[in-house]
Amino acid sequence: MSALLEVRDLRKHYPVRKGLLGRAVAKVHAVDGISFSIAERETLGLVGESGCGKSTAGKTILRLVDPTAGTIEWRGSRIEGLGRAAMRPVRRELQAVFQDPYSSLNPRLRAADIVAEPLRNYERLGAARAREQVAWLFEKVGLRPDQMVKYPHEFSGGQRQRLGIARALAVRPKLIVCDEPVSALDVSVQAQVINLLEDLQAEFGVSYLFVAHDLAVVEHISHRVAVMYLGKIVELTDKRTLFRDPQHPYTEALLSAVPVPDPQAKKKRIILQGDVPSPITPPPGCRFHTRCPYAEERCRREEPAMTEVRPGHLVACHLRTAVQP
Ligand code: SF4
């Protein structure tokens, strides 16, 4: 699989301003040096607790916010410094589906016009052709043609998310950043939307960056998973390995909290002590050391590098340097 997106050492810091003059007195290290790639037809899950920087990472890749440092390579070309006009063809290929479909859909437009908007922007289709395309997209995402004349408030949450997916898919993107796309939906509806995303990937060959805090959802849809903690990726590997044999203590703790369907299965829950430190003053050394049950002196001083502990399995922990096959 060739890389569609290659992100290297990406950082996004926000200034904290104070006083009448709005002087920057500190900065929030929302994303602080993350690297990963996404191949064609691949789903990379980006997972972590709220505030770990995963949504900011998605927004930065979409260039909805400008990166502070690092590179974003899209199909072999750097895009992190591109202006509005140069970004236009990239934006067509790089679409997004957000958590709250209601706030991302224009309430004054009918459903057909919402889905047709990107088609009009990028393809300048005539009314009849656009309508045909919209009807086809409605069918692809499981909406009925008679719903084309409705307004967003007339749809259920799941249907609104289908509408958001149809809009993202309209211009045939190569990658869709899905930012918590099912976390506002009921569990039964979540499964339908996830299955829809998988079907669309099989049919259109689209890749996903799937940002979520729910590990069960990420396990279902992802090929590989990156775990984020306080602005950093701490572990990245294929889904099966991550869920069967996590190596980073933070991943271990996250996985121990996921309920298992088998009531007989015993799992030892790891309760992390303390709160997530502030991203304004992240701890020195390993950022997880304030909560890690295995922390030693070195962890407080030295930041662990991402190390390949087995082929394709990267971990940032001083205690994990290699895993026996
Ligand atoms: Fe824990 Fe140290 Fe590993 Fe960080 S480097 S995860 S503190 S053992």
Side-chain angles (χ1 to χ4, degrees), residues 104-118 120 131 134 138 143-155 160 163-164 166-167:
S104 63
L105 302 175
N106 186 335
R108 287 187 295 274
L109 289 183
R110 292 185 193 272
D113 292 321
I114 288 171
V115 177
E117 208 174 24
R120 291 200 190 104
R131 200 184 153 73
V134 169
F138 263 57
L143 293 171
R144 297 188 312 273
D146 63 283
Q147 293 174 309
M148 286 167 62
V149 293
K150 295 191 173 202
Y151 289 94
H153 73 267
E154 297 177 88
F155 289 89
R160 277 200 289 268
L163 203 55
R167 183 182 56 180

Side-chain angles (χ1 to χ4, degrees), residues 248-250 286-290 292-296 299 302 304 316-319:
H248 196 280
Y250 178 60
C286 173
R287 289 192 178 184
F288 189 53
H289 85 249
T290 56
C292 180
Y294 314 108
E296 29 183 71
C299 306
E302 240 177 82
C317 173
H318 292 309
L319 304 188

Side-chain angles (χ1 to χ4, degrees), residues 14-321:
Y14 291 101
V16 179
R17 300 188 184 281
K18 261 202 178 152
L20 275 177
L21 299 176
R23 217 162 39 88
V25 292
K27 50 190 177 185
V28 176
H29 301 72
V31 174
D32 216 9
I34 62 170
S35 302
F36 62 83
S37 64
I38 301 181
E40 285 184 20
R41 296 174 176 270
E42 185 184 34
T43 300
L44 177 75
L46 191 56
V47 72
E49 291 164 293
S50 140
C52 69
K54 56 191 190 304
S55 288
T56 304
K59 287 196 184 88
T60 313
I61 287 156
L62 287 164
R63 291 290 321 279
L64 297 178
V65 294
D66 286 331
T68 306
T71 61
I72 307 168
E73 215 173 281
W74 174 250
R75 301 178 73 196
S77 301
R78 302 255 304 260
I79 62 162
E80 72 277 1
L82 294 186
R84 210 181 154 93
M87 266 305 286
R88 193 173 149 78
V90 179
R91 287 204 192 287
R92 181 191 174 137
E93 297 180 326
L94 205 51
Q95 292 286 315
V97 172
F98 294 104
Q99 174 179 4
D100 179 2
Y102 198 57
S103 66
S104 63
L105 302 175
N106 186 335
R108 287 187 295 274
L109 289 183
R110 292 185 193 272
D113 292 321
I114 288 171
V115 177
E117 208 174 24
L119 284 169
R120 291 200 190 104
N121 272 344
Y122 286 105
E123 298 196 355
R124 305 195 185 288
L125 292 185
R129 185 83 185 93
R131 200 184 153 73
E132 221 175 81
Q133 278 287 307
V134 169
W136 179 77
L137 283 159
F138 263 57
E139 189 204 312
K140 288 290 162 201
V141 300
L143 293 171
R144 297 188 312 273
D146 63 283
Q147 293 174 309
M148 286 167 62
V149 293
K150 295 191 173 202
Y151 289 94
H153 73 267
E154 297 177 88
F155 289 89
S156 68
Q159 288 172 335
R160 277 200 289 268
Q161 201 51 294
R162 286 173 191 267
L163 203 55
I165 294 168
R167 183 182 56 180
L169 206 62
V171 286
R172 302 292 186 91
K174 294 200 165 293
L175 174 79
I176 300 180
V177 175
C178 303
D179 187 359
E180 301 271 12
V182 297
S183 53
L185 306 176
D186 290 343
V187 174
S188 59
V189 182
Q190 283 188 358
Q192 293 168 13
V193 173
I194 294 291
N195 290 340
L196 171 66
L197 287 169
E198 285 186 324
D199 292 347
L200 295 173
Q201 183 169 59
E203 182 167 354
F204 297 104
V206 65
S207 302
Y208 299 124
L209 173 64
F210 196 93
V211 176
H213 69 279
D214 185 338
L215 278 159
V217 170
V218 167
E219 181 178 18
H220 191 97
I221 195 166
S222 308
H223 297 108
R224 289 185 304 140
V225 180
V227 180
M228 271 188 90
Y229 183 79
L230 212 53
K232 300 253 181 206
I233 290 178
V234 296
E235 183 157 14
L236 196 166
T237 185
D238 65 274
K239 163 180 80 178
R240 182 177 284 244
T241 307
L242 188 97
F243 283 84
R244 282 194 183 167
D245 190 21
Q247 291 298 309
H248 196 280
Y250 178 60
T251 317
E252 263 179 27
L254 277 187
L255 289 179
S256 79
V258 177
V260 283
D262 178 1
Q264 304 300 319
K266 289 248 182 325
K267 201 156 79 162
K268 189 169 165 271
R269 174 111 193 239
I270 303 168
I271 311 280
L272 292 176
Q273 302 300 317
D275 295 325
V276 182
S278 164
I280 297 175
T281 48
C286 173
R287 289 192 178 184
F288 189 53
H289 85 249
T290 56
R291 304 172 79 200
C292 180
Y294 314 108
E296 29 183 71
E297 188 44 40
R298 181 186 179 193
C299 306
R300 293 177 184 87
R301 289 182 278 110
E302 240 177 82
E303 185 176 339
M306 277 295 247
T307 306
E308 195 164 34
V309 296
R310 53 159 79 96
H313 188 167
L314 296 160
V315 183
C317 173
H318 292 309
L319 304 188
R320 305 283 194 265
T321 49

